[in-house]
Amino acid sequence: MIQPDDISVLLVNDDPGAMFALRSVLADLDASVETAASGEQALLRLLRRDFVVIILDVKMVGLDGFETARLIRQRPRSKFTPIIFLTSHRVTDLDRATGYELGAVDYLFMPVAPEVLRSKAQVFIDVAKSHLQHDRKDAELKHLNQALQRELEHVNRLNETLRSEVAARQQAESVAQCSQTERLIVQHAGDYVALLDAAAGWIYASPSYQAEFGTAIQTGGAYFEIVHAADRDQVQSAFDQLLAGEGPMRLQYRVPVPSRGERCFESEASLIRETSGAVAQVVMVSRDITERKEMEAYVLHQSFHDALTGLPNRLLLEDRMKQATAQLGRQHAPVAVLFIDLDRFKDINDTLGHAAGDRVLQEVAERLGSCVREGDTVARIGGDEFVVLLVGLHGGEDAAGVADKMVATISASCLIDGKELHVTPSIGIAVFPEDGQNIDALLRNADTAMYHAKQDGNCRFSFFTPHMHAAASRRLAIGSALQRAIAQSEFVLHYQPKVSAVTGAICGFEALIRWPQANGTWMPPSQFIPIAEETGRIEPIGKWALLEAAMQIQHWHAQGIDGIPIAVNVSALQFHQDIIGHIASILQESGIAPAMLEAELTESAVMSDPAQAILTLHQIHDLGLTIAIDDFGTGYSSLAYLKRFPIDKLKIDTSFVRDIATNASDAAIVVAIITLAHVLNLTVIAEGVETVGQMAFLIDHGCDQMQGNYFSKSVSHQEALDLLKCGPFSLAH
């Protein structure tokens, strides 16, 4: 049992940096904060004391957050302790479902706004304090009633000794009895105390009643007259049951107080009987519980609503979905679930800060609300993800109309902190009962449809189809297999040569990741690379590729082969993480000449934040690496930035090289890129060379290097070594 001076929050996180930051955020809470650096420590803390809420990291070494939560729930004393899961890792729907199955009251994602985390924790602190105050008042009231009953028993015994006196004397004694009871009640009651007759008429009202209601409680009136009109029947019925001997009356009701408006009273009444058994008086002790009711309403609202936007959260959404599918399913009326994700919302947080991002989320919440009817539900389920529940539809076309309106409404510009922003949504739609018979299936399928809308180019909506489910299952399977492949080092590097357009000699290699399967086949990079990028697994894969390429350069150097650099693709995620520290570590570990390692980046990777990209590229260049822009011409490079980037090479994308011998437009683009590269003093490389005609065109127009299956497909490191020993390729055409 938590004591008044022992209200405490437990913070569990195995990352010292995150622990320090979270502890600082929670430092000004109206409670003490204890910390645990592991699931095991958290369980030891729970053996010593109870906590009002546990903020638990999901991903921890040893006992992870989920297993820790399971053990917490197995202890009777902590079975119902609120748990808030906190994670900085990308999570799947299965992870979220597991968290909520374990009884989580919320699932927050790092980085979380400090005021949001504090408000989440403060809610449970306030609840604990409210319960303590309630328990204390209940104990006081119980003590008062016990004392009152003892005194009333004494009064009844006194009345019994006086029964033989004359009626007048009996009446006088009755008045004396009332006076003594009044003094007793006033002495012990700090709230509202009333003595009523069997008709609920006022016999006595404590000063607190008189101060609040004045003439409204003059002798001769009835207690029901001060009760809210809508609650009088309830109070009258309880009063009648009390008189009928059905036990003490205890109930809550509203009372209009002239000076303070509508208040909520909680009353407990008991009978004083004559020796004959007839009811003499009714003693009613009441207290004003308005603030407690308001706190309970606030806590209830916080439990079912998102703190930032005020929208329903996942718990309330699921409850309404259950009601909608149960009620409207019987009527065979469609119910649509729209899963909404904001495109590139992370860019807003990264460039303008989380405060601006929160303002955008609030604006989107308002715009979504303007697109639906009163009976529909708009919910925020985390991050930049919203779900809309549409009920009472005539058909799927109604959902399409709403989704189309949402795309247009959200995409309209908005002004945040003086900056005009354009946010676009991707929307997936699942319809009950065709696309799912339960809540989890509908949400999962709507999420899958949203993913396909993003794949189709963002700022659009897509209906779920069974084909999407199969594709989603395959993505999930590949994602899980990728995690295993990273842990077990299943990847290998193959190498495709770059050929001089002047001599035909190999002047470098591009390292390409390959993934062998247990059945002897190879999974195409086009299948697993996009999934690795979506799930964040491309970063460890990319780090491995850089190190592996560096070690291959070292191996060739030991065999006397020098001057042949290897280029490695650097993903956008890697580029925006600690790429500098990682490259420096690799150069130190391998001992290779930095110029032998090349970094290839796509246009989109460097143009998402050009100002920061310039700084990072200079740092890479300062380490001694060569830098190439890959797939040039397919992105949105600004020439103003391009000339400021410290780059060495441009690679012409395969899509332009493919038809240069037959398509005048592609030929003109390739010539323009070659000219631009030479003006900027850059080496230009054409990739995807497949035919002698393509090779001849590139040589004739001054391309510096060529790469493609015409010369060689990507090969193993041993086969690459054999190619080097074979001498130059023939450039005859």
Side-chain angles (χ1 to χ4, degrees), residues 66 92-103 107 314 440:
F66 291 152
T92 65
D93 286 343
L94 180 60
D95 292 332
R96 293 177 183 164
T98 300
Y100 287 115
E101 286 173 3
L102 290 170
Y107 211 123
R314 187 186 184 97
D440 290 337

Side-chain angles (χ1 to χ4, degrees), residues 490-511:
E490 295 180 5
F491 300 104
V492 296
L493 284 186
H494 279 188
Y495 304 88
Q496 188 170 43
K498 300 176 184 179
V499 177
S500 169
V502 177
T503 66
I506 294 176
C507 50
F509 287 92
E510 179 181 1

Side-chain angles (χ1 to χ4, degrees), residues 361-526:
L361 293 174
Q362 291 168 339
E363 178 69 21
V364 170
E366 291 183 10
R367 294 186 181 191
L368 285 173
S370 70
C371 296
V372 300
R373 303 159 300 172
E374 185 176 349
D376 300 325
T377 297
V378 179
R380 178 177 176 234
I381 61 173
D384 60 335
E385 295 177 339
F386 297 83
V387 172
V388 174
L389 177 66
L390 303 177
V391 298
L393 302 178
H394 296 293
E397 63 276 5
D398 291 350
V402 175
D404 193 50
K405 182 179 180 181
M406 288 177 176
V407 169
T409 302
I410 296 174
S411 300
S413 64
C414 60
L415 196 64
I416 303 294
D417 295 337
K419 294 181 176 62
E420 184 177 2
L421 301 179
H422 291 270
V423 182
T424 59
S426 294
I427 304 175
I429 306 173
V431 180
F432 173 85
E434 293 87 352
D435 298 333
Q437 298 290 327
N438 56 59
I439 297 164
D440 290 337
L442 287 169
L443 284 174
R444 181 177 63 250
N445 292 339
D447 189 10
T448 298
M450 181 276 295
Y451 172 83
H452 279 264
K454 279 190 179 294
Q455 278 193 322
D456 291 340
N458 298 328
C459 195
R460 63 188 65 213
F461 66 87
S462 177
F463 278 90
F464 174 78
T465 64
H467 170 73
M468 293 180 183
H469 178 70
S473 298
R474 178 164 178 77
R475 282 199 311 275
L476 182 62
I478 292 176
S480 299
L482 277 171
Q483 189 65 36
R484 183 202 66 237
I486 293 169
Q488 299 180 6
S489 301
E490 295 180 5
F491 300 104
V492 296
L493 284 186
H494 279 188
Y495 304 88
Q496 188 170 43
K498 300 176 184 179
V499 177
S500 169
V502 177
T503 66
I506 294 176
C507 50
F509 287 92
E510 179 181 1
L512 299 168
I513 296 176
R514 296 294 182 260
W515 187 9
Q517 303 298 293
N519 60 5
T521 63
W522 298 78
M523 181 175 290
S526 59

Side-chain angles (χ1 to χ4, degrees), residues 234-250:
Q234 172 198 2
V235 178
Q236 174 77 66
S237 175
F239 195 84
D240 292 343
Q241 292 176 14
L242 175 68
L243 296 178
E246 297 184 17
M249 180 186 83
R250 183 168 186 156

Side-chain angles (χ1 to χ4, degrees), residues 280-300:
Q281 297 168 357
V282 175
V283 180
M284 183 177 289
V285 179
S286 305
R287 57 180 171 171
D288 188 333
I289 61 168
T290 306
E291 284 73 21
R292 192 187 91 198
K293 297 294 287 185
E294 290 173 349
M295 176 58 72
E296 290 174 353
Y298 169 77
V299 171
L300 185 64

Side-chain angles (χ1 to χ4, degrees), residues 310-322:
L311 294 177
N313 61 14
R314 187 186 184 97
L315 290 176
L316 184 53
L317 172 69
E318 291 181 350
D319 181 69
R320 292 185 180 177
M321 288 178 69
K322 286 179 182 178

